[in-house]
């Protein structure tokens, strides 16, 4: 497993942008595919985006396509989530997740999780 730490959350106005970061540490952490999920109050955890350990082949959840961008630099263990056109419905705790090598979109496929960072979209 790899230890993950998210950062970059906060309060943003509707229509605004925010960039989240997640850094992994541990053996071979740069060879993990990484993903972002979120969980709003009283809702299930939702898949947002995932990217291959080489930083290629990103996939996105339907609710964020065209608004969020996931990126990762090959041989590094940091993944970013650039969020734009944020809406109050995007308010949630955002989690970073990682799994060895292959990309996935189901929470049950990920073995390592961060503690989450709160994103609040409000005027």
């Amino acid at each position: 497993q790899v230890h993950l730490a998210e950062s970059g959350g906060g309060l943003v106005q509707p229509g605004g942008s925010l960039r989240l970061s997640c850094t992994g540490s541990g053996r071979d952490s740069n060879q993990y595919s990484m993903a972002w999920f979120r969980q709003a109050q009283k809702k299930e955890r939702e898949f947002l985006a995932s990217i291959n350990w080489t930083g290629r082949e990103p996939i996105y959840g339907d609710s964020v396509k065209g608004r969020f961008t996931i990126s990762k630099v090959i041989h590094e263990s940091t993944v970013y989530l650039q969020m734009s056109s944020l809406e109050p419905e995007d308010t949630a705790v955002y989690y970073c997740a990682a799994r060895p090598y292959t990309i996935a979109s189901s929470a049950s496929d990920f073995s390592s999780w961060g503690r989450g960072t709160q994103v609040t979209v409000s005027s």
Side-chain angles (χ1 to χ4, degrees), residues 43-60:
K43 292 189 176 181
E44 295 185 354
R45 191 161 295 192
E46 177 188 10
F47 168 73
L48 302 178
S50 185
I51 195 163
N52 184 277
W53 71 280
T54 63
R56 293 179 285 195
E57 302 178 2
I59 57 174
Y60 295 93

Side-chain angles (χ1 to χ4, degrees), residues 37-113:
F37 291 78
R38 69 185 178 190
Q39 189 163 17
Q41 283 191 347
K42 301 181 182 179
K43 292 189 176 181
E44 295 185 354
R45 191 161 295 192
E46 177 188 10
F47 168 73
L48 302 178
S50 185
I51 195 163
N52 184 277
W53 71 280
T54 63
R56 293 179 285 195
E57 302 178 2
I59 57 174
Y60 295 93
D62 290 340
S63 65
V64 302
K65 281 181 181 177
R67 297 192 301 127
F68 291 8
T69 302
I70 189 171
S71 61
K72 179 183 182 295
V73 178
I74 189 171
H75 299 311
E76 294 185 4
S77 54
T78 299
V79 65
Y80 304 94
L81 185 68
Q82 178 67 47
M83 307 184 292
S84 60
S85 302
L86 285 164
E87 306 163 350
E89 293 74 23
D90 294 314
T91 296
V93 178
Y94 284 67
Y95 295 93
C96 176
R99 68 190 304 267
Y101 299 111
T102 56
I103 201 170
S105 61
S106 174
S108 61
D109 289 329
F110 289 85
S111 54
S112 299
W113 291 86

